[in-house]
Amino acid sequence: MKALIVDDEARVRKAVRLLVDWEVHQIEEILEAGSGNEAMGLIRKEKPALVIMDMMMESGNGLELMSWVDEFAGNTKFVVVSGHDDFDFVRQTVRHGGIDYILKPIEAEMINNAVSKAVSAWRAEEEERNHRQRQSLRLNEIKPIYGEKLLSALIDDKVNAEASLRRLIHDGIIPQDIRTSRLILLQTDSGNNPLLRRFGGDSELMYYAIVNICNEFLQSQRKGIAFRYWGGPPEIAIILWDLEESVTGLISRMNQGLYLTLQFRMHFGISTAGEFPGQLPAGRAEAAEALLRRNLLRHEDYCHFSPAEPAAGLVPDGQRSGKPGTAAPLNFADVQEDWRLAVISGTPEALSAAAHYWTQELSRRGVVTPQMLNAWKADAMLLRSRLVRAALGSQADSVLAELEQQDRQNPSPQPGGYSFSLFAWRDWSFTFMQQLSQMLSARHRNEQNIVAEIIKYIEQNYASDLSLQEIAGKFQVSREYVSRRFKQEYGINFSDYIVSVRIEKAKLLLPNPGLKLAQISEMVGFHDVKYFSKVFKKHTGLSPKDYRGRMEP
């Protein structure tokens, strides 16, 4: 078993090492971290069973670390050591599953008692997890999906719903006398997430385990049935026909079972009660909407009711009145200019400030929903596209493709994930802006180099028949790109720039009395002396002959 000590003071870490009787607690390896950020890296790599941490640190404070552990390392137990006797800190510790809150100076007996409780809790939960997983995997092996598809048809297949219902009743999957029901959806994440990794990336096995755990609480007393819904994106649905029992009480017990087995609690979207099976399609839409509108800042809420029915005395998430600090929701337009300036600046300070202000304002205003975060992501992508296209024109598509590739390597947190961390969103937004800034800066430097090379080439070959097509081909850029860059840099188009170079070269040759105008015209790239004279006068206000006369002593 491993333990991690997190404190920004080395002397405190040393004191904890000396005070804890590690051998008695059967802890073989003790790690140290000087900040919350460093601790996250060690927890990812070493997976300690116990973390002893300070609440206040300069880099990555204790609250952020606890929130992160709750989301990404839920089976890790932690004990908080702090010099602050603050009730809110104690409350946060309890909320995030902390075992104990110890005040400095640290006493040996208190910290050893706390470590003993944490180790015992970790071992008990580990044994329970192993037992339940073995039990779940033995339950009928993998159930045939036929019954699940019949249940799904009640929701999304009006043509076959009646036939499906008859077969479900005949097979004893649901009772015959159901008249009303609720439709409940469990929040499930797609893609790479901590829960999926517990099942080796096998999503089918993950869904099977969750459904079986839920059915342990439903089927024994015939309250309802949980199943994999096959009518759209991967979802787990529950048809609840026992409407006498408190739905929040039932879900609380289910969540406790899920936590003991998987170390995760799920979010449940709950529809209003309606006619069975006719109202199931509308019920699914209500439950999905409830999950999209849940307030992610209320970590302790796992039951999310349809906005149409504030159930059990609850007001829908995000609409509670009288909550301190609640203000109008933050829109992306409120910070768009901050993000744009931070990207243009490119400094770590500006990028960090923009990312920090965004998440700070989200927290201050008191409401963050998956629906809002999805809209924010879409607006952020739109801003990125506009900035890239404004800066790079026809070259923008290739840059946007590169940035999309980086998005896959640095995905955002799931807007509707199992838990929510402002720290994770702040980290993502910083990286998102930083990558965009670096890409634009690199392309700008490359563009500057290309323009400089084109200018050098023109200086060396101005007497030749230079064309926009030739230059574009030689430097492997589009004609539009060359034209646009010359307009941006010099305020004139490409052909006018070449003419201006030729005129300047002609000015240098005209004072030489040994050169005829026809020779000078040919030397600077004009093959018609009359045309040369016309262009020269247009640019200088004088004919070549008059200009030469002024230059003579």
Side-chain angles (χ1 to χ4, degrees):
M1 184 182 292
K2 298 178 184 178
L4 171 64
I5 305 169
V6 187
D7 199 296
D8 55 3
E9 295 186 53
R11 62 181 180 82
V12 176
R13 299 198 300 271
K14 183 177 180 181
V16 173
R17 269 187 178 270
L18 293 173
L19 290 170
V20 176
D21 193 337
W22 305 105
E23 188 175 345
V24 167
H25 304 299
Q26 299 180 345
I27 296 174
E28 297 86 15
E29 187 174 351
I30 302 97
L31 310 166
E32 292 187 19
S35 70
N37 293 334
E38 183 184 354
M40 290 175 196
L42 280 172
I43 292 170
R44 283 193 186 101
K45 181 180 178 183
E46 303 291 343
K47 298 179 174 55
L50 171 66
V51 175
I52 302 172
M53 53 176 282
D54 189 11
M55 182 61 78
M56 300 297 292
M57 291 175 286
E58 290 187 4
S59 176
N61 66 49
L63 288 177
E64 289 176 337
L65 179 57
M66 282 193 296
S67 177
W68 184 88
V69 167
D70 196 20
E71 180 170 6
F72 295 104
N75 57 336
T76 298
K77 300 300 174 188
F78 57 87
V79 173
V80 173
V81 177
S82 177
H84 299 270
D85 187 6
D86 189 310
F87 174 75
D88 187 56
F89 284 165
V90 177
R91 184 176 63 83
Q92 294 284 359
T93 301
V94 172
R95 192 190 84 186
H96 289 291
I99 296 297
D100 216 332
Y101 189 93
I102 299 172
L103 290 174
K104 298 177 183 178
I106 307 167
E107 296 181 6
E109 183 180 357
M110 291 185 67
I111 195 165
N112 276 286
N113 285 339
V115 170
S116 177
K117 284 193 292 184
V119 169
S120 297
W122 185 87
R123 287 200 173 110
E125 289 181 8
E126 184 72 4
E127 177 58 31
E128 180 67 18
R129 281 194 297 274
N130 292 336
H131 170 72
R132 281 185 175 269
Q133 283 182 337
R134 289 192 299 268
Q135 185 182 54
S136 292
L137 294 175
R138 286 197 303 266
L139 283 176
N140 307 320
E141 297 182 350
I142 299 295
K143 286 186 176 181
I145 65 172
Y146 179 65
E148 294 182 331
K149 290 197 171 181
L150 288 175
L151 288 162
S152 298
L154 298 180
I155 300 172
D156 60 29
D157 188 351
K158 291 182 178 179
V159 174
N160 296 307
E162 187 175 340
S164 297
L165 179 58
R166 286 198 300 269
R167 184 58 188 267
L168 288 165
I169 293 172
H170 178 269
D171 292 346
I173 295 175
I174 61 174
Q176 185 171 4
D177 57 349
I178 301 176
R179 296 293 177 265
T180 57
S181 66
R182 288 185 187 272
L183 196 288
I184 300 173
L185 290 180
L186 275 71
Q187 179 68 60
T188 54
D189 289 346
S190 58
N192 190 19
N193 57 70
L195 181 58
L196 187 58
R197 287 196 293 271
R198 288 177 180 272
F199 292 88
D202 188 338
S203 60
E204 293 302 319
L205 188 58
M206 179 185 76
Y207 291 129
Y208 169 72
I210 295 171
V211 166
N212 270 318
I213 293 167
C214 291
N215 275 328
E216 285 184 24
F217 295 89
L218 293 166
Q219 289 288 283
S220 61
Q221 298 180 36
R222 302 287 281 171
K223 298 176 182 294
I225 187 166
F227 59 96
R228 168 83 180 275
Y229 172 63
W230 290 85
E235 291 178 340
I236 293 173
I238 294 173
I239 298 175
L240 184 66
W241 53 75
D242 179 0
L243 304 182
E244 298 299 322
E245 183 183 11
S246 163
V247 67
T248 54
L250 174 63
I251 287 173
S252 178
R253 294 200 303 279
M254 280 186 193
N255 252 339
Q256 185 62 20
L258 289 164
Y259 182 77
L260 288 172
T261 306
L262 307 175
Q263 282 295 288
F264 279 91
R265 289 185 172 88
M266 304 289 174
H267 291 278
F268 293 72
I270 306 163
S271 78
T272 54
E275 178 191 359
F276 176 84
Q279 287 299 309
L280 287 178
R284 185 199 162 274
E286 286 181 9
E289 179 74 6
L291 287 172
L292 278 174
R293 294 180 58 171
R294 67 186 177 93
N295 189 351
L296 296 165
L297 296 179
R298 297 185 62 85
H299 300 274
E300 66 276 16
D301 287 351
Y302 294 99
C303 296
H304 309 285
F305 290 89
S306 161
E309 181 194 29
L314 297 175
V315 179
D317 289 327
Q319 298 178 21
R320 294 174 173 83
S321 60
K323 184 184 177 207
T326 302
L330 187 69
N331 294 315
F332 187 75
D334 297 330
V335 299
Q336 179 173 286
E337 185 63 11
D338 291 342
W339 282 38
R340 187 184 72 83
L341 293 175
V343 167
I344 293 171
S345 165
T347 65
E349 294 79 14
L351 294 168
S352 179
H356 179 75
Y357 175 76
W358 172 50
T359 51
Q360 184 182 52
E361 280 297 291
L362 283 177
S363 178
R364 185 183 70 82
R365 300 196 184 201
V367 177
V368 184
T369 69
Q371 198 172 48
M372 289 168 58
L373 290 173
N374 280 321
W376 269 80
K377 278 186 61 179
D379 288 341
M381 296 298 177
L382 184 59
L383 172 66
R384 183 172 74 179
S385 178
R386 285 203 301 263
L387 290 176
V388 171
R389 293 193 183 283
L392 304 180
S394 60
Q395 304 297 308
D397 287 340
S398 62
V399 173
L400 289 171
E402 287 183 54
L403 289 168
E404 287 168 6
Q405 177 64 31
Q406 291 181 358
D407 289 342
R408 288 187 280 274
Q409 297 168 358
N410 175 49
S412 72
Q414 287 288 339
Y418 295 111
S419 55
F420 173 69
S421 167
L422 280 172
F423 179 84
W425 280 95
R426 186 178 71 189
D427 186 51
W428 169 79
S429 61
F430 175 86
T431 305
F432 177 86
M433 289 185 281
Q434 184 183 55
Q435 288 175 343
L436 174 57
S437 180
Q438 290 173 347
M439 186 72 74
L440 290 176
S441 296
R443 286 299 175 123
H444 181 69
R445 288 193 297 272
N446 186 47
E447 285 190 354
Q448 291 300 105
N449 292 337
I450 290 176
V451 171
E453 289 297 316
I454 292 174
I455 296 301
K456 182 178 178 182
Y457 184 79
I458 291 172
E459 287 287 336
Q460 295 171 348
N461 298 276
Y462 63 89
S464 304
D465 290 330
L466 295 176
S467 69
L468 185 60
Q469 184 63 47
E470 177 192 349
I471 294 294
K474 181 173 181 60
F475 290 93
Q476 297 182 339
V477 291
S478 69
R479 295 172 53 184
E480 293 76 13
Y481 171 81
V482 176
S483 180
R484 178 173 58 83
R485 292 297 293 155
F486 270 82
K487 277 282 189 181
Q488 290 175 343
E489 295 288 335
Y490 304 104
I492 56 176
N493 61 36
F494 173 77
S495 59
D496 287 341
Y497 179 84
I498 292 179
V499 168
S500 68
V501 170
R502 289 170 173 169
I503 296 300
E504 291 303 315
K505 298 300 182 183
K507 287 180 181 180
L508 297 176
L509 297 173
L510 282 170
N512 185 345
L515 293 173
K516 295 180 179 179
L517 291 183
Q519 290 176 299
I520 294 173
S521 172
E522 191 70 31
M523 290 170 70
V524 299
F526 291 99
H527 304 302
D528 184 331
V529 67
K530 289 184 179 179
Y531 180 67
F532 165 62
S533 297
K534 180 180 178 181
V535 172
F536 190 93
K537 186 171 184 179
K538 180 181 178 181
H539 276 259
T540 65
L542 297 170
S543 67
K545 183 176 180 180
D546 291 340
Y547 185 88
R548 170 176 273 179
R550 287 196 174 189
M551 294 296 104
E552 291 177 354

Short mmCIF file of all heavy atoms in Angstrom, two decimals, residues 324-354:
data_model
loop_
_atom_site.label_atom_id
_atom_site.label_comp_id
_atom_site.label_asym_id
_atom_site.label_seq_id
_atom_site.Cartn_x
_atom_site.Cartn_y
_atom_site.Cartn_z
N PRO A 324 -27.13 32.18 -2.09
CA PRO A 324 -26.14 33.27 -2.08
C PRO A 324 -25.20 33.16 -3.26
O PRO A 324 -24.74 32.08 -3.61
CB PRO A 324 -25.39 33.03 -0.75
CG PRO A 324 -26.33 32.20 0.08
CD PRO A 324 -27.11 31.39 -0.87
N GLY A 325 -24.92 34.29 -3.87
CA GLY A 325 -23.94 34.34 -4.95
C GLY A 325 -24.48 33.99 -6.32
O GLY A 325 -23.76 34.00 -7.29
N THR A 326 -25.76 33.63 -6.41
CA THR A 326 -26.32 33.28 -7.71
C THR A 326 -26.61 34.55 -8.51
O THR A 326 -27.25 35.45 -8.03
CB THR A 326 -27.62 32.47 -7.54
OG1 THR A 326 -27.33 31.29 -6.79
CG2 THR A 326 -28.19 32.09 -8.89
N ALA A 327 -26.09 34.60 -9.72
CA ALA A 327 -26.29 35.76 -10.60
C ALA A 327 -26.69 35.24 -11.97
O ALA A 327 -26.86 34.05 -12.18
CB ALA A 327 -25.00 36.58 -10.67
N ALA A 328 -26.86 36.17 -12.91
CA ALA A 328 -27.22 35.76 -14.27
C ALA A 328 -26.13 34.85 -14.83
O ALA A 328 -24.95 35.08 -14.60
CB ALA A 328 -27.37 37.01 -15.15
N PRO A 329 -26.52 33.78 -15.57
CA PRO A 329 -25.52 32.86 -16.12
C PRO A 329 -24.52 33.60 -17.01
O PRO A 329 -24.84 34.59 -17.66
CB PRO A 329 -26.36 31.88 -16.94
CG PRO A 329 -27.72 31.95 -16.34
CD PRO A 329 -27.89 33.36 -15.87
N LEU A 330 -23.28 33.11 -17.01
CA LEU A 330 -22.21 33.72 -17.80
C LEU A 330 -22.32 33.25 -19.24
O LEU A 330 -22.43 32.05 -19.51
CB LEU A 330 -20.86 33.30 -17.21
CG LEU A 330 -19.62 33.97 -17.81
CD1 LEU A 330 -19.57 35.44 -17.43
CD2 LEU A 330 -18.36 33.26 -17.31
N ASN A 331 -22.30 34.19 -20.19
CA ASN A 331 -22.29 33.86 -21.60
C ASN A 331 -20.87 33.98 -22.15
O ASN A 331 -20.06 34.74 -21.62
CB ASN A 331 -23.21 34.81 -22.38
CG ASN A 331 -24.66 34.62 -22.01
OD1 ASN A 331 -25.14 33.50 -21.91
ND2 ASN A 331 -25.36 35.72 -21.77
N PHE A 332 -20.59 33.26 -23.23
CA PHE A 332 -19.26 33.32 -23.81
C PHE A 332 -18.94 34.72 -24.31
O PHE A 332 -17.79 35.16 -24.27
CB PHE A 332 -19.14 32.32 -24.96
CG PHE A 332 -17.74 32.21 -25.51
CD1 PHE A 332 -16.76 31.53 -24.80
CD2 PHE A 332 -17.40 32.81 -26.72
CE1 PHE A 332 -15.47 31.45 -25.29
CE2 PHE A 332 -16.11 32.73 -27.21
CZ PHE A 332 -15.14 32.04 -26.50
N ALA A 333 -19.97 35.44 -24.74
CA ALA A 333 -19.75 36.82 -25.21
C ALA A 333 -19.16 37.70 -24.12
O ALA A 333 -18.45 38.67 -24.41
CB ALA A 333 -21.07 37.41 -25.70
N ASP A 334 -19.40 37.33 -22.84
CA ASP A 334 -18.88 38.13 -21.73
C ASP A 334 -17.36 38.05 -21.61
O ASP A 334 -16.73 38.93 -21.03
CB ASP A 334 -19.50 37.67 -20.40
CG ASP A 334 -21.01 37.87 -20.37
OD1 ASP A 334 -21.48 38.82 -21.03
OD2 ASP A 334 -21.71 37.08 -19.71
N VAL A 335 -16.76 36.97 -22.13
CA VAL A 335 -15.30 36.80 -21.99
C VAL A 335 -14.61 36.63 -23.35
O VAL A 335 -13.40 36.45 -23.41
CB VAL A 335 -14.98 35.57 -21.11
CG1 VAL A 335 -15.54 35.75 -19.71
CG2 VAL A 335 -15.48 34.29 -21.73
N GLN A 336 -15.36 36.73 -24.42
CA GLN A 336 -14.78 36.48 -25.74
C GLN A 336 -13.60 37.41 -26.04
O GLN A 336 -12.56 36.97 -26.55
CB GLN A 336 -15.86 36.65 -26.81
CG GLN A 336 -15.35 36.44 -28.23
CD GLN A 336 -16.49 36.44 -29.24
OE1 GLN A 336 -17.24 35.48 -29.32
NE2 GLN A 336 -16.63 37.52 -29.98
N GLU A 337 -13.75 38.69 -25.69
CA GLU A 337 -12.67 39.65 -25.96
C GLU A 337 -11.44 39.33 -25.11
O GLU A 337 -10.30 39.47 -25.59
CB GLU A 337 -13.15 41.08 -25.69
CG GLU A 337 -12.15 42.16 -26.07
CD GLU A 337 -11.82 42.21 -27.55
OE1 GLU A 337 -12.51 41.54 -28.37
OE2 GLU A 337 -10.85 42.90 -27.91
N ASP A 338 -11.65 38.89 -23.87
CA ASP A 338 -10.52 38.48 -23.02
C ASP A 338 -9.75 37.33 -23.66
O ASP A 338 -8.52 37.31 -23.69
CB ASP A 338 -11.01 38.04 -21.64
CG ASP A 338 -11.56 39.20 -20.82
OD1 ASP A 338 -11.25 40.36 -21.17
OD2 ASP A 338 -12.29 38.96 -19.85
N TRP A 339 -10.49 36.35 -24.17
CA TRP A 339 -9.84 35.20 -24.81
C TRP A 339 -9.09 35.65 -26.07
O TRP A 339 -7.97 35.19 -26.32
CB TRP A 339 -10.88 34.14 -25.17
CG TRP A 339 -11.34 33.31 -24.01
CD1 TRP A 339 -11.56 33.74 -22.73
CD2 TRP A 339 -11.63 31.92 -24.00
NE1 TRP A 339 -11.98 32.71 -21.94
CE2 TRP A 339 -12.04 31.57 -22.69
CE3 TRP A 339 -11.61 30.92 -24.97
CZ2 TRP A 339 -12.41 30.27 -22.33
CZ3 TRP A 339 -11.99 29.63 -24.62
CH2 TRP A 339 -12.37 29.31 -23.32
N ARG A 340 -9.71 36.51 -26.86
CA ARG A 340 -9.06 36.95 -28.11
C ARG A 340 -7.75 37.67 -27.82
O ARG A 340 -6.72 37.40 -28.45
CB ARG A 340 -10.01 37.87 -28.89
CG ARG A 340 -9.52 38.25 -30.28
CD ARG A 340 -10.45 39.24 -30.96
NE ARG A 340 -10.34 40.56 -30.35
CZ ARG A 340 -9.41 41.45 -30.67
NH1 ARG A 340 -8.49 41.18 -31.59
NH2 ARG A 340 -9.38 42.63 -30.08
N LEU A 341 -7.78 38.59 -26.85
CA LEU A 341 -6.57 39.34 -26.50
C LEU A 341 -5.50 38.43 -25.90
O LEU A 341 -4.30 38.62 -26.15
CB LEU A 341 -6.92 40.48 -25.54
CG LEU A 341 -7.79 41.60 -26.11
CD1 LEU A 341 -8.17 42.60 -25.02
CD2 LEU A 341 -7.07 42.32 -27.26
N ALA A 342 -5.93 37.45 -25.11
CA ALA A 342 -4.97 36.51 -24.53
C ALA A 342 -4.28 35.70 -25.62
O ALA A 342 -3.06 35.48 -25.57
CB ALA A 342 -5.68 35.59 -23.54
N VAL A 343 -5.04 35.26 -26.61
CA VAL A 343 -4.47 34.49 -27.72
C VAL A 343 -3.49 35.35 -28.52
O VAL A 343 -2.40 34.89 -28.88
CB VAL A 343 -5.60 33.95 -28.64
CG1 VAL A 343 -5.02 33.43 -29.96
CG2 VAL A 343 -6.38 32.87 -27.93
N ILE A 344 -3.86 36.59 -28.78
CA ILE A 344 -2.96 37.50 -29.53
C ILE A 344 -1.70 37.77 -28.73
O ILE A 344 -0.58 37.79 -29.26
CB ILE A 344 -3.70 38.80 -29.87
CG1 ILE A 344 -4.83 38.53 -30.88
CG2 ILE A 344 -2.72 39.83 -30.44
CD1 ILE A 344 -5.74 39.71 -31.12
N SER A 345 -1.86 37.99 -27.41
CA SER A 345 -0.70 38.24 -26.55
C SER A 345 0.22 37.03 -26.50
O SER A 345 1.43 37.15 -26.66
CB SER A 345 -1.17 38.61 -25.14
OG SER A 345 -0.10 38.53 -24.22
N GLY A 346 -0.38 35.87 -26.23
CA GLY A 346 0.40 34.64 -26.19
C GLY A 346 1.21 34.44 -24.93
O GLY A 346 1.88 33.41 -24.78
N THR A 347 1.18 35.38 -23.99
CA THR A 347 1.98 35.24 -22.77
C THR A 347 1.27 34.30 -21.80
O THR A 347 0.04 34.31 -21.71
CB THR A 347 2.20 36.60 -22.08
OG1 THR A 347 0.94 37.11 -21.62
CG2 THR A 347 2.82 37.59 -23.04
N PRO A 348 2.03 33.51 -21.06
CA PRO A 348 1.40 32.60 -20.08
C PRO A 348 0.53 33.35 -19.08
O PRO A 348 -0.51 32.85 -18.65
CB PRO A 348 2.60 31.94 -19.40
CG PRO A 348 3.71 32.02 -20.39
CD PRO A 348 3.49 33.32 -21.12
N GLU A 349 0.95 34.57 -18.71
CA GLU A 349 0.20 35.34 -17.72
C GLU A 349 -1.17 35.72 -18.27
O GLU A 349 -2.19 35.58 -17.57
CB GLU A 349 0.97 36.61 -17.34
CG GLU A 349 2.28 36.37 -16.61
CD GLU A 349 3.42 35.96 -17.53
OE1 GLU A 349 3.27 36.13 -18.77
OE2 GLU A 349 4.44 35.47 -17.02
N ALA A 350 -1.22 36.19 -19.52
CA ALA A 350 -2.50 36.60 -20.11
C ALA A 350 -3.42 35.39 -20.33
O ALA A 350 -4.62 35.45 -20.07
CB ALA A 350 -2.26 37.31 -21.44
N LEU A 351 -2.83 34.28 -20.79
CA LEU A 351 -3.63 33.08 -21.02
C LEU A 351 -4.19 32.53 -19.70
O LEU A 351 -5.35 32.15 -19.61
CB LEU A 351 -2.77 32.01 -21.70
CG LEU A 351 -2.30 32.34 -23.13
CD1 LEU A 351 -1.23 31.36 -23.58
CD2 LEU A 351 -3.46 32.32 -24.10
N SER A 352 -3.33 32.51 -18.68
CA SER A 352 -3.76 32.01 -17.38
C SER A 352 -4.85 32.89 -16.77
O SER A 352 -5.82 32.40 -16.19
CB SER A 352 -2.56 31.93 -16.43
OG SER A 352 -2.95 31.46 -15.16
N ALA A 353 -4.68 34.21 -16.92
CA ALA A 353 -5.67 35.13 -16.36
C ALA A 353 -7.04 34.95 -17.04
O ALA A 353 -8.08 34.97 -16.37
CB ALA A 353 -5.19 36.57 -16.53
N ALA A 354 -7.04 34.77 -18.37
CA ALA A 354 -8.30 34.58 -19.09
C ALA A 354 -8.99 33.28 -18.67
O ALA A 354 -10.20 33.24 -18.47
CB ALA A 354 -8.06 34.59 -20.59
#
